[in-house]
């Protein structure tokens, strides 16, 4: 049963937990995005306080071969600050909505981070040398008597303790009227897109003063507005293809070769609604909260409120696979509507070889679906079983009449504990799961 | 931080007896060197820009052994500092001891060639290309070529992209074995994993082809060109179009058909509009490169397709090239090709749905009249010009009007004037002030083309109306326009038509209009000459010194200062001086200030 994740018999063990232990959660500490870089060596998180924390995987230690390198803080920096738009009398939150790593181009690492309005390109670099030697002052800053300067001294670089610096390289601002929900780097490595509720813009990574609007679904009359863009992503290797999902549960695929403006999609993925399940909430729960291409580029995965769907890019009429994340909530939609949980935006991710997908749920549960073995598992991110290398026990929510031992009843689920953001190491079975203000790292048990 | 120090040091130095005279030159250099690592970027930048001064003071030996190793390690700095450094090093040969030691500059430039910032890398490559010429053939093989190889096989794409720009400078000067290696390296980079490197290779393909022996162009370059032109990334394919121009120029005519044309045809019909756009954008160059025969057979239909492309960006790019393409057609069949193949497409573009396409066309279409001659222009082009003059988009109309001179030479402007006038009037009254501004700027040109009579009859009123526009920028432009008109039509014309109207505005109830009178006088006095200025303008200006609005009064003072040099000394002393003296005692601060300024500038005190 614990098989989901990497095929056969992967047992997930606790590895690390980051963040404060106390239950008193500061708003600014709430994690708002989690993202591994392309090698998996670095893991970035963004929070509501506008900070980005980067963790680096330590090299494997020879003493404990069963324990792969742990992730330790590599760099922390304030990416965004709260701002005020005086023209519109609007506060702009500093919350980091998304982080995307750029493919590595030299010894330094680069990432894009965005809040609601402004995207920034950050460089994270290491420095292990510093210059020494002044002509007119001592190394400690005291000025030398200028009369004693009789020869010129050229400074020399000397080794020093490793210092990691994060520096802002570009600021891409003033292009979005609505809130940015997605950024995605193109496989051509020179452009990226940013999507807000109604528009998608295309940027060149080196040009900040201009972007091209490629999708605009804003109706002439805002009263006719029926759907918004919820997420957008570039295809992993076809530089001309991107998709965007909507609040109506559709995904549109656009080909940038066909035209400069991509308002006309070239494919639209949509599953006809099941008339039996129709209710007041149908439209809300069909809204797509995340879309992700598989690493291979053949499939894409979408997450709506209750399910994860896998689509073959060659079939628009229905998904090839559908996984129920927490079907037991279907009867609870009314109260979830009242407490606004129904509008939670759950994200989803693929494992390295596209065989397993993962997404979050409530009560600090997260789910994995093994596509080949058609197996699924519910795991919990909790302090209680946070002993190093302790195996995570699968959890079960009682759906039928009688509750069995080890099962949790739907009514006792804690809806304040939700896992919205998860990330999977691109190569290994290592996952990062963000609960409210804690980041859990789990890995498979090596025998 | 350091600033403070340098000031105190200067203070000490100025004291009698302070400091040893012999070290006078040492101090500023010491400051420069220390500021190389100042916390303030601006100071670092300043020091880097004076790197040659530092090197000169250190001498060639210490520059090589101390300064350059330090600079090699400074790649952590800000982009602007690195950019300045990369540029400086390109001119450093003499400072390290001449060509014999020029290879010492390679390590810092090599590290600069791997940074992530494109501008810095490009500048480093530029400097490397420059100093490659200063290497002896031996040094080139011993020092420079290994650097190119290191960059070409670097781990990071930044170094590999930089390598692409260096092959062509060393290739001609190395032995044939090394040449073979270079070709191999270039081949490898053309099929690099990352699109960035393939783009760099594609953009240098043409340049590299130029230094290669023709046989290798045919055997090596063509296959690379074909591969890049069918790359999966359209950002790579579009760069192959540019290479196509250089390659086609190198090959003998008989080989073009088999080696280049299949790829070019494919690019013109590429699935991606960006590639087709590139073909349209480079069309004139392509046309020259492939010669008249291929142009007739292949490029004419290709051009027609581009003019009819489904993507507006492509049509606009092609429309921009209509005139140049037609001009460069072989003379014997030019007119026939234009009339039967190009003109029908152009006609369609006149009513295109996209305004950028129409305005691109409008900016060149008038040029066709010189090519087609009087009769064809009247019969075929004139209706198109007239249609565009009535276009709903102001930019289209403006583009036609701004190019009127081309038609004037061929058929005279009278043919157009009937349609021209309503178009001009409409633009002159456009709700967008930038449109009004644009048409004002063409007024002197139009006046020259249309002649004084037509102008007086139809356009003069417009020019005067702009003077009381509610946007200052328009009033200002209108003033400047009047000056240009007077320069064109002469002082007598000004006296009869413009000056009375301008002076009439001095009594306008709106003080802004009264000020416009002053601004016009400032602009016109010189062009109108002493007589008109003294007799007509000066009395009005002087009278306005009693205006109840202070802004008008101080502008009177400014105007008097401005027109003073045109007046004779008698008028200055008897008329200007008393008024300025009165204004100098005005109750308003600004009026006083400008009156006093005028008095001192005109030397009336």
């Amino acid at each position: 049963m614990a098989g989901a994740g990497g095929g056969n018999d992967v047992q997930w063990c606790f590895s690390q937990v980051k963040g404060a232990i106390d239950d008193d959660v500061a708003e600014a500490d709430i994690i708002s995005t989690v993202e591994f870089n392309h090698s998996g060596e670095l893991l970035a998180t963004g929070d509501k306080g506008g900070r980005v924390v980067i963790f680096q995987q330590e090299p494997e230690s020879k003493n404990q071969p069963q324990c792969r390198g742990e992730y330790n803080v590599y760099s922390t920096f304030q990416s965004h600050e709260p701002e005020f738009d005086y023209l519109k009398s609007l506060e702009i939150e500093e919350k980091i909505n998304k982080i995307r790593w750029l493919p590595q181009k030299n010894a330094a690492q680069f990432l894009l981070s965005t809040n609601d309005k402004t995207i920034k390109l950050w460089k994270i670099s290491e420095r292990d040398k510093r210059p020494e030697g002044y002509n007119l002052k001592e190394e400690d800053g005291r000025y030398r008597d200028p009369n004693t300067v009789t020869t010129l001294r050229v400074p020399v670089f000397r080794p020093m303790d490793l210092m990691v610096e994060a520096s802002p390289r570009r600021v891409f601002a003033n292009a979005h009227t609505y809130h940015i929900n997605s950024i995605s780097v193109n496989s051509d490595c020179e452009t990226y897109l940013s999507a807000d509720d109604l528009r998608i813009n295309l940027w060149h990574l080196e040009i900040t003063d201009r972007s091209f609007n490629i999708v605009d679904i804003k109706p002439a009359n805002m009263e006719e507005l029926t759907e918004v863009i919820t997420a957008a992503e570039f295809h992993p290797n076809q530089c001309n293809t991107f998709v965007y999902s909507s609040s109506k549960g559709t995904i549109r695929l656009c080909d940038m070769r066909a035209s400069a403006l991509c308002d006309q999609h070239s494919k639209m993925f949509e599953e006809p609604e099941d008339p039996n399940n129709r209710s007041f909430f149908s439209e809300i729960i069909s809204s797509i909260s995340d879309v992700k291409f598989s690493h291979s580029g053949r499939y894409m995965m979408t997450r709506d409120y209750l399910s994860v769907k896998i689509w073959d890019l060659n079939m628009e009429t229905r998904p090839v696979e559908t996984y129920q994340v927490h079907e037991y909530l279907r009867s609870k939609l009314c109260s979830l509507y009242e407490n606004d949980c129904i509008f939670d935006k759950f994200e989803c991710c693929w494992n390295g070889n596209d065989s397993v997908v993962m997404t979050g749920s409530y009560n600090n549960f997260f789910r994995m679906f093994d596509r080949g073995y058609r197996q699924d598992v519910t795991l919990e991110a909790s302090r209680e079983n946070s002993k190093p290398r302790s195996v995570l026990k699968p959890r079960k929510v009682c759906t039928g009449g009688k509750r069995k031992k080890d099962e949790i009843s739907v009514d006792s689920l804690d809806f304040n504990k939700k896992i919205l953001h998860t990330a999977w190491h691109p190569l290994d079975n290592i996952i990062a799961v963000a609960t409210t203000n804690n980041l859990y790292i789990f890995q498979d048990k090596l025998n | 931080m350091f600033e403070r120090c340098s000031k105190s040091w200067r203070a000490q130095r100025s004291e009698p007896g302070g400091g040893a005279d012999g070290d006078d030159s040492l101090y500023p250099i010491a400051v420069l060197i220390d500021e190389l690592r100042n916390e303030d970027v601006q100071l670092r930048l300043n020091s880097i820009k004076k790197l040659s001064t530092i090197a000169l003071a250190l001498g060639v030996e210490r520059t090589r052994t101390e300064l350059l190793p330090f600079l090699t390690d400074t790649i952590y700095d800000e982009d602007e500092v690195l950019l300045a450094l990369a540029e400086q090093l390109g001119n450093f040969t003499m400072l390290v001891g001449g060509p014999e030691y020029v290879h010492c500059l390679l390590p810092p430039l090599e590290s600069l060639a791997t940074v992530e910032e494109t501008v810095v890398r490009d500048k480093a490559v530029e400097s490397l290309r420059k100093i490659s010429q200063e290497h002896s053939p031996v040094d080139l093989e011993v020092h420079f070529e290994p650097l190119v190889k290191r960059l070409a096989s670097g781990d990071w794409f930044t170094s590999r992209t930089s390598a692409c720009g260096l092959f062509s400078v060393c290739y001609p000067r190395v032995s044939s074995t090394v040449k073979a290696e270079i070709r191999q390296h270039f081949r490898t980079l053309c099929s690099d994993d990352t699109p960035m490197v393939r783009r760099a290779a594609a953009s240098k393909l043409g340049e590299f082809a130029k230094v290669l022996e023709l046989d290798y162009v045919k055997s090596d370059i063509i296959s690379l060109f074909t591969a890049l032109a069918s790359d999966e990334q359209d950002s790579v394919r579009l760069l192959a179009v540019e290479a196509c121009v250089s390659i086609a120029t190198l090959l003998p005519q008989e080989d073009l058909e088999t080696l280049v044309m299949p790829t070019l045809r494919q690019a013109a019909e590429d699935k991606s509009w960006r590639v087709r756009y590139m073909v349209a954008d480079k069309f004139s160059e392509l046309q020259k490169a492939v010669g008249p025969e291929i142009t007739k057979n292949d490029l004419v239909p290709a051009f027609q397709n581009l003019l009819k492309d489904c993507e507006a960006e492509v049509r606009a790019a092609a429309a921009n090239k209509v005139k140049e393409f037609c001009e460069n057609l072989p003379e014997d069949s030019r007119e026939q090709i234009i009339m039967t193949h190009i003109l029908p497409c152009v006609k369609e573009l006149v009513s295109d749905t996209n305004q950028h396409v129409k305005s691109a066309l409008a900016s060149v279409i008038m040029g066709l009249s010189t090519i087609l001659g009087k009769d064809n222009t009247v019969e075929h082009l004139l209706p198109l010009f007239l249609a565009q003059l009535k276009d709903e988009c102001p930019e289209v109309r403006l583009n036609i009007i701004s190019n009127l001179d081309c038609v004037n030479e061929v058929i005279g402007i009278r043919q157009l004037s009937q349609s021209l006038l309503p178009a001009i009037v409409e633009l002159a009254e456009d709700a967008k002030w930038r449109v009004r501004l644009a048409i004002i700027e063409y007024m002197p040109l139009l006046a020259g083309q249309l002649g004084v009579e037509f102008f007086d009859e139809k356009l003069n009123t417009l020019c005067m109306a702009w003077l009381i526009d509610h946007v200052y920028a328009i009033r200002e432009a209108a003033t400047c326009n009047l000056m240009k008109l007077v320069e064109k039509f002469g002082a007598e014309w000004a006296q009869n038509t413009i000056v009375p109207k301008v002076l009439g505005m001095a009594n306008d109830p709106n003080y802004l209009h009264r000020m416009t009178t002053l601004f016009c006088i400032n602009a016109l006095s010189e062009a109108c000459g002493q007589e008109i200025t003294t007799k007509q303008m000066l009395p009005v200006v002087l009278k306005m010194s009693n205006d109840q609005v202070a802004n008008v009064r101080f502008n009177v003072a400014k105007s008097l200062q401005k027109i003073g040099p045109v007046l004779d000394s008698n008028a200055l002393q008897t008329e200007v001086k008393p008024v300025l003296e009165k204004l100098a005692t005005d109750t308003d601060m600004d009026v006083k200030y400008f009156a006093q300024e005028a008095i001192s500038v005109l030397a009336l005190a």
Side-chain angles (χ1 to χ4, degrees):
Chain A
M1 192 60 243
N8 32 17
D9 294 335
V10 173
Q11 288 203 304
W12 288 95
C13 327
F14 173 85
S15 168
Q16 285 174 281
V17 58
K18 308 283 182 189
I21 303 170
D22 44 337
D23 287 336
D24 204 16
V25 179
E27 177 80 5
D29 293 335
I30 296 175
I31 296 172
S32 54
T33 182
V34 183
E35 188 80 10
F36 278 103
N37 77 340
H38 296 274
S39 67
E41 191 208 350
L42 298 174
L43 170 65
T45 63
D47 65 26
K48 283 202 170 175
R51 283 162 305 193
V52 170
V53 182
I54 297 168
F55 300 95
Q56 185 188 37
Q57 191 174 25
E58 299 296 326
E60 260 173 67
S61 106
K62 287 201 176 106
N63 309 333
Q64 295 171 290
Q66 73 277 29
C67 173
R68 261 166 299 169
E70 296 200 329
Y71 283 83
N72 289 322
V73 175
Y74 180 62
S75 173
T76 305
F77 58 93
Q78 188 74 33
S79 167
H80 286 69
E81 302 274 359
E83 283 176 89
F84 192 79
D85 182 340
Y86 293 97
L87 285 177
K88 296 188 187 119
S89 256
L90 274 180
E91 276 184 52
I92 302 167
E93 278 186 80
E94 66 273 32
K95 179 188 154 209
I96 308 296
N97 290 344
K98 281 280 164 6
I99 291 175
R100 287 289 177 269
W101 291 92
L102 266 57
Q104 197 169 2
K105 52 177 97 175
N106 59 8
Q109 296 276 354
F110 291 80
L111 63 80
L112 289 169
S113 65
T114 186
N115 66 352
D116 286 341
K117 299 285 176 189
T118 306
I119 305 148
K120 293 183 181 176
L121 175 69
W122 289 90
K123 174 184 179 180
I124 295 103
S125 54
E126 294 181 355
R127 178 185 291 206
D128 58 1
K129 285 185 210 160
R130 66 188 177 89
E132 270 177 21
Y134 283 109
N135 284 298
L136 298 167
K137 61 179 174 183
E138 304 296 336
E139 213 43 48
D140 57 15
R142 276 179 301 122
Y143 292 113
R144 232 175 252 165
D145 176 5
N147 294 323
T148 65
V149 178
T150 50
T151 54
L152 291 170
R153 209 174 143 196
V154 178
V156 189
F157 275 92
R158 302 245 181 258
M160 63 163 186
D161 288 342
L162 184 71
M163 200 168 82
V164 180
E165 291 176 314
S167 48
R169 304 302 284 197
R170 306 252 192 281
V171 177
F172 306 88
N174 303 323
H176 285 278
T177 314
Y178 305 95
H179 290 179
I180 299 173
N181 53 44
S182 311
I183 44 177
S184 175
V185 182
N186 191 337
S187 59
D188 68 9
C189 297
E190 64 174 2
T191 57
Y192 75 92
L193 66 74
S194 60
D196 68 23
D197 298 337
L198 296 177
R199 298 193 179 104
I200 301 177
N201 292 333
L202 182 69
W203 301 83
H204 193 286
L205 280 162
E206 295 190 350
I207 300 168
T208 56
D209 61 355
R210 124 182 59 127
S211 73
F212 296 97
N213 177 251
I214 48 176
V215 174
D216 186 350
I217 62 163
K218 185 172 184 272
N221 179 1
M222 277 300 262
E223 279 165 21
E224 290 162 16
L225 184 70
T226 56
E227 70 177 324
V228 295
I229 297 169
T230 54
E233 193 180 45
F234 266 120
H235 190 279
N237 44 47
Q238 289 169 14
C239 63
N240 48 278
T241 310
F242 68 94
V243 292
Y244 67 93
S245 62
S246 91
S247 55
K248 275 189 160 174
T250 59
I251 310 107
R252 290 178 180 83
L253 182 140
C254 300
D255 184 349
M256 296 202 297
R257 288 174 302 185
S259 159
L261 299 176
C262 298
D263 292 336
Q264 303 294 323
H265 55 264
S266 45
K267 283 185 181 184
M268 174 143 117
F269 301 83
E270 186 175 24
E271 186 172 32
E273 196 185 6
D274 180 359
N276 298 324
N277 272 336
R278 228 194 128 63
S279 76
F280 170 76
F281 304 107
S282 299
E283 195 164 324
I284 303 176
I285 62 168
S286 66
S287 175
I288 292 174
S289 52
D290 195 17
V291 56
K292 292 267 167 64
F293 277 107
S294 64
H295 295 87
S296 68
R298 168 82 188 267
Y299 302 99
M300 63 180 169
M301 159 169 58
T302 58
R303 170 73 210 259
D304 52 45
Y305 192 60
L306 293 179
S307 64
V308 166
K309 290 172 183 159
I310 314 277
W311 305 78
D312 187 325
L313 289 196
N314 302 318
M315 184 160 73
E316 296 166 62
T317 50
R318 58 187 165 81
V320 286
E321 294 153 40
T322 300
Y323 301 104
Q324 301 305 335
V325 178
H326 35 218
E327 184 64 16
Y328 45 80
L329 295 181
R330 197 176 279 280
S331 58
K332 297 265 165 209
L333 290 176
C334 207
S335 53
L336 289 166
Y337 180 73
E338 274 158 18
N339 65 14
D340 274 353
C341 280
I342 202 167
F343 301 107
D344 282 335
K345 296 191 105 193
F346 290 99
E347 292 172 6
C348 49
C349 62
W350 297 84
N351 76 339
N353 60 12
D354 298 337
S355 61
V356 185
V357 297
M358 171 171 63
T359 190
S361 175
Y362 293 103
N363 205 47
N364 278 354
F365 286 173
F366 58 97
R367 305 263 290 147
M368 286 186 190
F369 304 98
D370 189 313
R371 301 177 57 212
Y373 292 82
R374 297 276 163 176
Q375 287 172 330
D376 66 287
V377 65
T378 305
L379 299 170
E380 183 183 3
S382 134
R383 293 259 176 199
E384 273 147 38
N385 47 10
S386 57
K387 275 207 301 284
R389 291 190 297 288
S390 64
V391 176
L392 295 191
K393 263 197 289 195
R395 297 297 190 157
K396 278 210 115 179
V397 176
C398 161
T399 51
K402 200 157 183 203
R403 190 160 72 94
K404 288 179 219 141
K405 189 174 169 269
D406 284 348
E407 285 192 349
I408 302 136
S409 88
V410 179
D411 293 318
S412 59
L413 293 175
D414 184 347
F415 291 104
N416 287 319
K417 292 182 173 172
K418 44 190 124 184
I419 290 177
L420 302 176
H421 315 285
T422 59
W424 203 306
H425 189 289
L427 308 167
D428 293 331
N429 275 334
I430 299 176
I431 54 171
V433 173
T435 61
T436 313
N437 66 333
N438 286 130
L439 181 71
Y440 286 84
I441 295 167
F442 302 108
Q443 43 180 272
D444 63 345
K445 190 183 173 84
L446 291 180
N447 299 317
Chain B
M1 199 163 71
F2 187 71
E3 195 108 55
R4 215 172 339 119
C5 162
S6 63
K7 267 177 203 148
S8 64
W9 165 235
R10 264 180 215 121
Q12 283 176 33
R13 295 285 294 177
S14 63
E15 280 164 24
D21 292 328
D23 292 339
D24 251 349
S25 60
L26 218 54
Y27 172 70
I29 305 292
V31 173
L32 279 179
I33 293 179
D34 283 2
E35 286 184 353
L36 278 175
R37 42 176 299 209
N38 196 290
E39 280 174 28
D40 184 341
V41 183
Q42 217 45 52
L43 292 179
R44 291 205 301 276
L45 190 57
N46 190 40
S47 272
I48 288 286
K49 285 187 174 156
K50 296 197 178 114
L51 210 52
S52 52
T53 316
I54 297 176
L56 217 49
L58 288 172
V60 293
E61 178 80 38
R62 291 192 68 193
T63 299
R64 290 199 301 264
T65 54
E66 293 176 46
L67 186 60
L68 289 179
F70 170 74
L71 295 172
T72 307
D73 280 336
T74 52
I75 52 164
Y76 298 110
D77 214 323
E78 302 284 331
D79 305 333
E80 45 190 327
V81 177
L82 297 183
L83 182 66
L85 177 59
E87 185 168 8
Q88 292 285 318
L89 291 176
N91 304 315
F92 238 59
T93 310
M94 289 325 286
L95 297 164
V96 293
E100 203 181 329
Y101 294 100
V102 66
H103 59 86
C104 297
L105 295 171
L106 297 179
L109 284 170
E110 181 175 354
S111 66
L112 287 168
T114 63
V115 301
E116 68 279 357
E117 208 58 49
T118 314
V119 279
V120 177
R121 266 190 343 252
D122 288 352
K123 187 57 84 179
V125 169
E126 195 185 309
S127 290
L128 280 170
R129 289 167 68 112
K130 209 163 165 183
I131 62 166
S132 73
Q133 303 307 320
E134 282 149 0
H135 281 72
S136 67
V138 176
D139 280 350
L140 202 68
E141 283 196 26
V142 177
H143 299 287
F144 198 87
E145 206 267 339
L147 163 128
V148 178
K149 273 194 219 162
R150 272 197 306 280
L151 288 173
S153 48
D155 282 342
W156 308 116
F157 84 82
T158 45
S159 76
R160 301 200 299 275
T161 50
S162 292
C164 293
L166 297 174
F167 294 121
S168 65
V169 289
C170 41
Y171 190 84
R173 300 178 57 209
V174 292
S175 67
S176 55
T177 28
V178 180
K179 276 185 176 177
E181 284 172 33
I182 291 179
R183 287 196 306 272
Q184 181 53 43
H185 275 292
F186 193 81
R187 248 197 310 273
T188 314
L189 292 180
C190 281
S191 53
D192 195 273
D193 284 343
T194 68
M196 291 73 86
V197 178
R198 296 203 302 276
R199 278 198 292 275
S203 64
K204 300 291 177 197
L205 186 64
E207 175 190 294
F208 189 52
K210 279 185 195 155
V211 299
L212 243 59
E213 298 78 359
L214 187 59
D215 282 345
Y216 290 121
V217 172
K218 287 190 198 174
S219 62
D220 282 26
I221 295 288
I222 293 297
S223 65
L224 296 174
F225 166 63
T226 319
L228 290 168
S230 47
D231 195 277
E232 57 170 16
Q233 298 257 345
D234 45 5
S235 56
V236 178
R237 294 204 298 279
L238 63 85
L239 289 170
V241 175
E242 244 178 319
C244 185
V245 176
S246 331
I247 294 172
T249 333
L250 297 173
L251 292 174
Q253 190 71 31
E254 63 270 19
D255 289 331
L256 286 177
E257 182 53 48
T258 49
L259 297 180
V260 174
M261 285 317 288
T263 310
L264 181 57
R265 276 186 212 114
Q266 176 195 321
E269 289 169 2
D270 197 280
K271 216 176 160 190
S272 169
W273 68 270
R274 292 209 291 165
V275 178
R276 301 196 304 273
Y277 173 93
M278 201 64 175
V279 175
D281 197 49
K282 297 275 166 233
F283 217 84
S284 308
E285 289 92 328
L286 288 168
Q287 185 185 7
K288 280 180 204 151
V290 298
E293 275 315 302
I294 296 181
T295 296
K296 266 194 265 182
N297 302 332
D298 268 280
L299 293 195
V300 172
F303 194 62
Q304 282 175 292
N305 287 337
L306 292 170
L307 288 173
K308 292 185 211 154
D309 199 276
C310 56
E311 172 57 44
E313 300 279 346
V314 179
R315 292 200 302 279
N320 255 323
K321 301 286 166 190
V322 164
K323 181 192 157 202
E324 240 179 300
F325 179 73
C326 293
E327 258 174 0
N328 296 331
L329 284 171
E331 225 164 302
D332 54 346
S333 49
R334 185 191 291 157
E335 189 174 320
Q336 180 259 330
I337 292 176
I338 297 176
M339 296 307 291
T340 51
H341 298 292
I342 306 297
L343 206 56
C345 301
V346 168
K347 277 181 186 159
E348 275 174 47
L349 289 183
V350 167
S351 50
D352 198 277
T353 48
N354 186 295
Q355 68 175 55
H356 299 295
V357 177
K358 286 190 289 189
S359 78
L361 181 69
S363 63
V364 297
I365 189 174
M366 311 288 268
L368 290 182
S369 48
T370 19
I371 306 171
L372 287 179
K374 189 171 175 181
D375 294 339
N376 282 327
T377 301
V378 173
E379 194 184 336
H380 298 283
L381 292 177
L382 198 56
L384 302 182
F385 300 159
L386 297 178
Q388 293 215 297
L389 272 177
K390 295 192 187 88
D391 198 276
E392 58 185 3
C393 166
E395 207 183 320
V396 176
R397 283 174 270 152
L398 271 175
N399 281 347
I400 290 288
I401 290 174
S402 60
N403 287 298
L404 277 176
D405 43 343
C406 322
V407 193
N408 201 11
E409 290 160 19
V410 182
I411 56 167
I413 211 159
R414 291 279 154 183
Q415 297 260 19
L416 271 175
S417 58
Q418 284 313 311
S419 307
L420 203 50
L421 196 64
I424 294 172
V425 172
E426 209 178 310
L427 288 168
E429 291 163 357
D430 196 281
K432 294 196 188 72
W433 67 269
R434 286 181 194 281
V435 175
R436 299 201 294 277
L437 187 64
I439 187 76
I440 293 176
E441 277 159 11
Y442 292 122
M443 269 298 148
L445 174 83
L446 282 171
Q449 306 277 334
L450 292 163
V452 68
E453 274 168 50
F454 186 91
F455 184 85
D456 280 346
E457 200 180 316
K458 316 276 187 186
L459 299 179
N460 197 6
T461 10
L462 283 179
C463 290
M464 300 316 289
W466 282 320
L467 288 175
I468 52 168
D469 197 282
H470 58 272
V471 175
Y472 177 74
I474 299 297
R475 297 198 298 274
E476 191 189 25
T479 314
C480 179
N481 173 43
L482 286 187
M483 182 181 76
K484 287 183 189 150
L485 288 175
V486 174
E487 278 166 5
K488 200 156 245 147
F489 292 150
E492 199 185 326
W493 174 83
Q495 193 176 5
N496 296 330
T497 50
I498 292 185
V499 174
K501 289 184 194 169
V502 166
L503 297 181
M505 280 163 61
N507 301 317
D508 197 286
N510 186 334
Y511 86 99
L512 290 174
H513 297 172
R514 298 201 293 279
M515 293 216 302
T516 306
T517 298
L518 292 172
F519 297 149
C520 286
I521 288 173
N522 295 347
L524 294 178
S525 63
E526 205 170 320
C528 285
Q530 196 185 54
E531 165 119 7
I532 299 175
T533 307
T534 317
K535 289 201 175 141
Q536 298 189 4
M537 296 179 178
L538 184 60
V540 176
V541 179
L542 296 173
K543 202 172 134 220
M544 289 169 84
S545 68
N546 298 318
D547 201 288
Q548 78 264 27
V549 178
N551 289 31
V552 176
R553 294 201 301 278
F554 77 64
N555 271 299
V556 166
K558 280 170 138 184
S559 286
L560 287 173
Q561 181 185 331
K562 177 93 199 200
I563 65 173
V566 187
L567 302 170
D568 64 25
S569 60
N570 185 31
L572 276 175
Q573 288 298 332
T574 59
E575 298 183 68
V576 175
K577 192 178 172 188
V579 171
L580 282 176
E581 279 169 350
K582 192 186 75 187
L583 290 175
T585 60
D586 200 281
T587 48
D588 187 279
M589 288 256 302
D590 295 325
V591 178
K592 262 192 221 173
Y593 171 81
F594 285 112
Q596 277 156 1
E597 190 183 69
I599 288 171
S600 78
V601 170
L602 296 174
L604 293 174

